[in-house]
Amino acid sequence: MTAQELRRMYVEFFKERGHKEIASASLLPDNDPTVLFTTAGMHPLVPYLLGEKHPLGSRLADVQKCLRTCDIDEVGDDTHLTFFEMLGNWSLGDYFKEEAISLSYAFLTTKLQISVSRIAVTVFKGDEEIPRDEEAARVWKEMGLKEEQIFYYGRDENWWGPAGQTGPCGPDTEIFYDTGKEPCGKDCSPSCSCGKYVEIWNNVFMQYSKEADGSYKPLPRKNVDTGMGLERALTILNGKDNVYETDLFIPVMDELKALSRVAYSEATKRTFRIICEHTRAMTFLLGDPKRITPSNTEQGYILRRLIRRAIRLLQKLGLKQNVLCELASIILTQYQEVYPELKENRSFVLEQLEKEYELFQKTLDSGLKKADHYLSLLQKDDILSGELAFKLYDTFGFPVEFTMELAKEKGIRVDTPGFEEKLKEHQNKSRKGAEGKFKGGLADNSQQTARLHTATHLLHGALRKVLGDSAYQRGSNITSERLRFDFSFERKLTPEELYEITALVNQAIAESIPVLCEEMTPERAKKEGAIGIFDNKYGERVKVYSIPGCSKEICGGPHAANTGELGHFEIVKEEASSAGVRRIKAVLTEGPNLTQL
């Protein structure tokens, strides 16, 4: 089975059962400060999971692009990826456990022809606060699963949320494929990592609200959030042990083999896999409608890390010239029919990869000089400390393999265990930080966040009035304390421009303009001048929020009802975000509080 066959089979199955198809959103989430990237299919649906009405109704299905980096160091094995696609179906206050489980079971057994004997599931076992999920277990038994195919786990395994201290949460039921391998022992189960069980689908049942006092109350409107990993499902359906042997990776893998003229073997397969996986991820990041570029912070840092790691490994294969563009071209051609933004941004992707390759060569030259300096301070048979080797790697971007080669030429050894220890410390710190940053979840939906969200619309409109239509939103990040707004523009704004933008926003607030919401087709929204990325992102109907005289945008909320609720708008910083992109940070205060810009 091909990836496209699986995508269409999944979406068509749910469309036949009353679901509306929604297109994949950007890899850069809107207004969710908890994540750098869209790490799950639920991110674009946050406002609707929190209660807003979706323009396409209460039953939805999609294939969502996702990117996670918390396991980046494990990429190259049989299972871990940074970029992946998530198949999802959603019930927004419509069906619940029984129908959700029945739909999952029907798709697996009738469409994918997976034997019921190959299915194992986990359900929430309950605790002192929430009872055992007997309903989910009952439905699975009614579907035909035996008691020994159902496993019960606690909150670590079978509970979702809330994202913060309070909010929607609930149990989940995870679906595993039994590979048929021999059990690792008498306690072998989906919770162990022996490889017998592979998770392929997760159904989350949002049925409780955690209150400020720590208690749980049933939600009046229950939601279902499901996700099935395309890559894992495709691997299983094709009888493979890893995704690199499916049509998702075969074209780029074959190109890399041809370019490198290196045999794919046990000794080289991890290098091949990382290069191909990272190339796919970087291509989708650069080809995203919001167009991020390599940088030293946040999303741009992750992108740069992926690119430079791939370059280092290409050089390890003996490829001294830049072949990233050849590899990325394979990905662009392969996916452009599924994700049209890749076709539209093809030249941008290739230009950025060429620029970053040239920049990295300069970084390597700088690292080489620093490495030569450190080694010149030592004598033959001396040892370069692991700390210095790690400094060359972490601070100067100089690969440790290069350091070891230079040292060997001078008869100097490198304290590789010391380097590994420092690297492990760094990875553990990064992983802990990533777990906090990438854990995902529902964004804050407080009244203050709604005000700041509305303020971004006023800011966007003011920017375009002062700077022209070339000032276009490239991303935003909103917490309950401040807003951050990225927009396309080539230079630093002048104090006069910032003053005029601020004045326009505060004038709109002073006029107490109603914030209007209307559902319409994307074609009508475009005709009426609404701002939005008019590609395959939108379905048959969209929500358009209008602030007459100031702004008209396609958006999902949350919003204030009137601009007069916002308070006083104040820009606290304007800076570069990446090449051709500026960033404004702003706050709302209770009254006028002029700031020196």
Side-chain angles (χ1 to χ4, degrees):
M1 180 180 287
T2 67
Q4 182 58 1
E5 287 172 343
L6 179 55
R7 291 185 194 103
R8 294 320 310 165
M9 183 184 292
Y10 182 90
V11 172
E12 291 303 322
F13 175 86
F14 284 96
K15 284 174 69 175
E16 290 167 2
R17 288 154 180 82
H19 294 66
K20 295 288 188 180
E21 180 180 4
I22 56 174
S24 175
S26 167
L27 280 170
L28 280 67
D30 291 321
N31 309 314
D32 187 345
T34 65
V35 290
L36 288 178
F37 299 106
T38 298
T39 64
M42 57 82 64
H43 285 149
L45 293 169
V46 162
Y48 313 108
L49 292 168
L50 287 169
E52 291 229 7
K53 180 185 174 185
H54 195 283
L56 294 185
S58 59
R59 292 184 174 214
L60 308 172
D62 66 355
V63 183
Q64 174 63 47
K65 301 178 294 183
C66 301
L67 194 138
R68 296 177 184 171
T69 60
C70 47
D71 293 321
I72 192 170
D73 295 307
E74 279 70 45
V75 168
D77 63 8
D78 290 345
T79 59
H80 290 92
L81 299 169
T82 56
F83 173 85
F84 60 97
E85 296 171 82
M86 188 64 76
L87 307 168
N89 62 283
W90 314 83
S91 167
L92 306 175
D94 192 322
Y95 58 82
F96 202 48
K97 293 182 185 179
E98 185 158 0
E99 190 166 352
I101 291 173
S102 299
L103 287 168
S104 300
Y105 179 84
F107 183 76
L108 290 172
T109 58
T110 62
K111 288 295 183 180
L112 301 187
Q113 296 293 304
I114 294 177
S115 170
V116 66
S117 64
R118 290 284 195 178
I119 296 174
V121 300
T122 63
V123 298
F124 183 58
K125 72 177 183 180
D127 54 28
E128 65 280 0
E129 295 175 297
I130 303 294
R132 176 161 147 153
D133 195 351
E134 298 288 1
E135 182 181 359
R138 173 184 59 79
V139 177
W140 280 120
K141 290 174 185 176
E142 290 174 356
M143 293 297 103
L145 269 67
K146 299 177 181 177
E147 189 67 51
E148 56 266 28
Q149 291 173 273
I150 303 173
F151 299 82
Y152 299 86
Y153 296 120
R155 291 186 183 243
D156 288 345
E157 301 287 344
N158 284 96
W159 183 267
W160 186 90
Q165 297 299 312
T166 61
C169 54
D172 64 34
T173 181
E174 298 179 357
I175 308 172
F176 292 78
Y177 177 78
D178 185 342
T179 63
K181 294 179 180 178
E182 286 298 315
C184 60
K186 65 178 183 178
D187 295 325
C188 185
S189 73
S191 66
C192 66
S193 56
C194 69
K196 178 175 174 59
Y197 298 97
V198 179
E199 182 188 349
I200 55 173
W201 208 336
N202 187 15
N203 286 7
V204 176
F205 306 120
M206 297 182 192
Q207 67 183 102
Y208 296 101
S209 173
K210 186 176 181 182
E211 303 299 303
D213 62 2
S215 64
Y216 292 87
K217 292 184 178 179
L219 284 172
R221 195 191 85 161
K222 301 176 177 63
N223 298 320
V224 174
D225 160 9
T226 90
M228 181 183 190
L230 173 80
E231 286 80 1
R232 286 192 182 181
L234 192 67
T235 301
I236 289 168
L237 293 170
N238 283 285
K240 303 297 183 182
D241 292 327
N242 63 84
V243 71
Y244 299 98
E245 295 179 34
T246 69
D247 71 313
L248 290 172
F249 282 100
I250 287 173
V252 70
M253 187 71 77
D254 286 347
E255 179 73 3
L256 179 55
K257 291 174 184 175
L259 289 169
S260 67
R261 299 181 182 178
V262 173
Y264 183 85
S265 64
E266 281 298 315
T268 62
K269 74 176 185 180
R270 189 176 184 89
T271 298
F272 273 88
R273 288 177 174 184
I274 293 173
I275 292 170
C276 292
E277 197 282 337
H278 283 11
T279 300
R280 187 172 74 145
M282 69 180 74
T283 300
F284 269 90
L285 283 172
L286 288 167
D288 193 85
K290 292 185 179 178
R291 282 194 175 188
I292 69 167
T293 54
S295 69
N296 291 326
T297 60
E298 298 193 335
Q299 290 102 333
Y301 169 77
I302 298 298
L303 172 58
R304 173 163 284 167
R305 183 181 175 190
L306 292 169
I307 295 172
R308 293 189 170 186
R309 191 182 193 199
I311 293 172
R312 290 202 302 267
L313 292 176
L314 284 167
Q315 293 180 343
K316 186 177 179 180
L317 289 179
L319 286 160
K320 303 301 182 184
Q321 74 277 23
N322 182 15
V323 299
L324 274 183
C325 289
E326 285 94 323
L327 298 177
S329 293
I330 299 292
I331 301 291
L332 289 165
T333 301
Q334 179 183 354
Y335 282 91
Q336 65 184 13
E337 296 305 317
V338 183
Y339 300 104
E341 63 268 23
L342 296 180
K343 186 175 184 178
E344 296 168 9
N345 293 328
R346 186 184 188 96
S347 60
F348 177 80
V349 172
L350 301 180
E351 287 168 7
Q352 290 298 316
L353 288 177
E354 192 66 48
K355 285 181 182 178
E356 189 64 14
Y357 183 87
E358 293 173 2
L359 182 61
F360 188 43
Q361 292 310 303
K362 295 177 181 178
T363 299
L364 287 177
D365 291 341
S366 174
L368 181 62
K369 292 176 183 177
K370 188 62 68 172
D372 277 335
H373 170 69
Y374 288 154
L375 293 170
S376 69
L377 302 176
L378 301 174
Q379 303 295 321
K380 186 176 180 179
D381 294 328
D382 280 350
I383 298 176
L384 180 71
S385 71
E387 186 173 354
L388 283 178
F390 179 73
K391 185 175 182 180
L392 286 168
Y393 165 81
D394 185 52
T395 305
F396 301 102
F398 199 66
V400 70
E401 295 87 355
F402 290 14
T403 301
M404 294 173 70
E405 287 177 14
L406 288 172
K408 187 176 180 181
E409 291 172 5
K410 300 176 183 293
I412 296 171
R413 290 178 294 150
V414 176
D415 177 16
T416 49
F419 170 82
E420 293 293 340
E421 185 178 343
K422 287 289 182 183
L423 178 61
K424 191 172 182 179
E425 287 177 11
H426 172 74
Q427 290 171 343
N428 287 337
K429 287 179 182 178
S430 298
R431 186 172 286 110
K432 286 177 182 177
E435 286 168 355
K437 188 73 177 177
F438 290 91
K439 65 184 179 182
L442 299 176
D444 177 27
N445 200 42
S446 68
Q447 190 177 38
Q448 180 63 1
T449 300
R451 291 179 182 133
L452 284 161
H453 189 166
T454 307
T456 64
H457 288 246
L458 294 176
L459 172 60
H460 195 187
L463 284 166
R464 291 167 69 84
K465 284 181 181 177
V466 175
L467 305 177
D469 290 347
S470 63
Y472 200 91
Q473 179 175 355
R474 294 287 294 275
S476 64
N477 181 285
I478 298 173
T479 69
S480 59
E481 288 80 33
R482 58 100 183 111
L483 70 83
R484 193 184 73 198
F485 189 83
D486 291 355
F487 59 98
S488 54
F489 204 63
E490 292 293 333
R491 61 169 174 80
K492 182 177 177 64
L493 274 64
T494 67
E496 292 77 15
E497 289 168 334
L498 290 170
Y499 180 85
E500 187 177 355
I501 291 163
T502 302
L504 283 170
V505 174
N506 282 315
Q507 180 182 341
I509 294 172
E511 292 174 359
S512 297
I513 305 169
V515 179
L516 309 175
C517 177
E518 186 177 2
E519 293 184 10
M520 61 183 71
T521 64
E523 292 74 23
R524 180 185 160 196
K526 185 175 184 179
K527 186 177 180 180
E528 293 188 3
I531 295 175
I533 303 170
F534 289 94
D535 56 14
N536 69 332
K537 172 180 176 180
Y538 303 117
E540 300 167 7
R541 297 188 67 78
V542 296
K543 282 188 175 183
V544 175
Y545 282 87
S546 301
I547 305 173
C550 304
S551 168
K552 190 166 193 171
E553 298 191 34
I554 294 175
C555 192
H559 295 80
N562 188 292
T563 61
E565 300 175 12
L566 304 190
H568 183 78
F569 177 81
E570 181 182 341
I571 294 176
V572 295
K573 195 169 188 179
E574 189 273 337
E575 60 188 347
S577 172
S578 58
V581 179
R582 304 298 297 179
R583 171 172 292 172
I584 280 178
K585 294 180 181 178
V587 296
L588 292 173
T589 60
E590 302 244 342
N593 184 14
L594 299 179
T595 299
Q596 240 3 75
L597 298 172

